[in-house]
Amino acid sequence: MTVAEGDGTTTTRPAGRPGEFRLAGRVAVVTGASSGIGRAVALRLVAEGARVTAVGRDKSRLDALPAAAAEVAPAGCPGSLRQAQADLTDDDARGALVAGLLAGPRVDILVHSAGGYTNGPHADAPLDDLDWLYAANVRAPYALTQELLPALRAGGGDVIVINSSQGLHAGPNLGQFAATQHAMRAVTDSLRQEINADGIRVCGVHPGRTATPRQEALFAQEGRSYRPDLLLAAEDVAEVVAGVLTLPANAEITEVHLRPAKKSY
């Protein structure tokens, strides 16, 4: 499918044929790319041929990404990666990021993988934690999507929201975090109905426990042995994202539920 771009050029949305750089010519923004799922997604999209802006807060980890992208990109791959340090909860920092993105040729793909996590019982979980989770997990991705919608509309883009299994069913001691994930599921569903007619696909991805630095810290907090072999790999989630993005243009996956095949909890 060939669509007109905002700069007057055209691009062809890939039909998902194997053995090709299926995202060649597309421009992606991936948040939370400093580590974990966001990092894996950014690298996978580069390997598929996309030009990726990897957004995160950790400068040292972001600075290591271009070398990692060069390692995963096959010979002849047109993909590229540039890093952008920003705290998306800061309106000024996010505004500067958006200005830089809109100064480029276009934005075709927006992947939300940034966010925060806390846990604690309802009886004494600090309300400050709830305010911070709302700012990081709901307000920031909502605002960034709003600010990039004109660019996404110009070329018929994709929005992918990396959510959580807690966005489907809330567990004990996770009321605050799960509330923000449920809120983002609602935002994702509402957004889809608003912008599908503009040629923009919207997908929510709900992974179960995934082997990331956050998950390792959580296992330590719980006093449990960390067995990454019993969890999803971040690359598993990235594989799903790549599959969603490379579907034929007339097909849309609206929601994916993903969990480890071997159960450790």
Side-chain angles (χ1 to χ4, degrees), residues 139-232:
R139 188 180 186 276
Y142 188 103
L144 183 61
T145 304
Q146 187 178 65
E147 291 155 352
L148 291 179
L149 267 182
L152 290 163
R153 283 190 166 111
D158 286 273
V159 178
I160 294 187
V161 178
I162 307 297
N163 198 299
S164 165
S165 59
Q166 292 297 319
L168 302 170
H169 306 287
N173 300 321
L174 288 168
Q176 293 186 350
F177 173 72
T180 64
Q181 303 307 98
H182 276 70
M184 273 311 296
R185 188 185 189 195
V187 168
T188 302
D189 289 344
S190 178
L191 178 68
R192 184 184 306 112
Q193 295 179 67
E194 293 178 16
I195 64 177
N196 264 173
D198 299 320
I200 306 174
R201 303 182 298 192
V202 182
C203 179
V205 180
H206 296 263
R209 289 201 167 188
T210 306
T212 63
R214 175 195 288 180
Q215 202 63 236
E216 185 173 8
L218 178 58
F219 269 69
Q221 178 186 346
E222 295 172 347
R224 302 173 58 202
S225 175
Y226 182 61
R227 290 280 308 276
D229 56 307
L230 296 179
L231 306 178
L232 293 171

Side-chain angles (χ1 to χ4, degrees), residues 57 89 115-118 127-137 180:
R57 291 181 294 182
T89 65
Y117 175 89
T118 65
L127 290 180
D128 285 348
D129 284 357
L130 180 58
D131 293 338
W132 176 73
L133 287 170
Y134 165 75
N137 296 354
T180 64

Side-chain angles (χ1 to χ4, degrees), residues 13-166:
R13 178 173 276 172
R17 292 184 293 272
E20 299 180 0
F21 296 115
R22 299 178 295 174
L23 296 177
R26 302 194 73 191
V27 180
V29 178
V30 181
T31 71
S34 300
S35 65
I37 292 173
R39 180 182 187 275
V41 169
L43 295 177
R44 179 55 190 271
L45 299 193
V46 169
E48 290 282 1
R51 287 177 287 168
V52 176
T53 297
V55 183
R57 291 181 294 182
D58 190 314
K59 186 177 186 303
S60 62
R61 287 177 173 176
L62 284 174
D63 287 345
L65 273 177
E71 290 181 5
V72 302
C77 178
S80 63
L81 182 144
R82 71 180 184 95
Q83 65 272 44
Q85 184 184 17
D87 179 353
L88 297 177
T89 65
D90 183 310
D91 288 351
D92 291 337
R94 192 184 62 254
L97 170 69
V98 169
L101 293 171
L102 295 182
R106 61 182 185 271
V107 176
D108 302 315
I109 297 166
L110 174 59
V111 181
H112 291 293
S113 190
Y117 175 89
T118 65
N119 58 27
H122 196 111
D124 54 18
L127 290 180
D128 285 348
D129 284 357
L130 180 58
D131 293 338
W132 176 73
L133 287 170
Y134 165 75
N137 296 354
V138 183
R139 188 180 186 276
Y142 188 103
L144 183 61
T145 304
Q146 187 178 65
E147 291 155 352
L148 291 179
L149 267 182
L152 290 163
R153 283 190 166 111
D158 286 273
V159 178
I160 294 187
V161 178
I162 307 297
N163 198 299
S164 165
S165 59
Q166 292 297 319

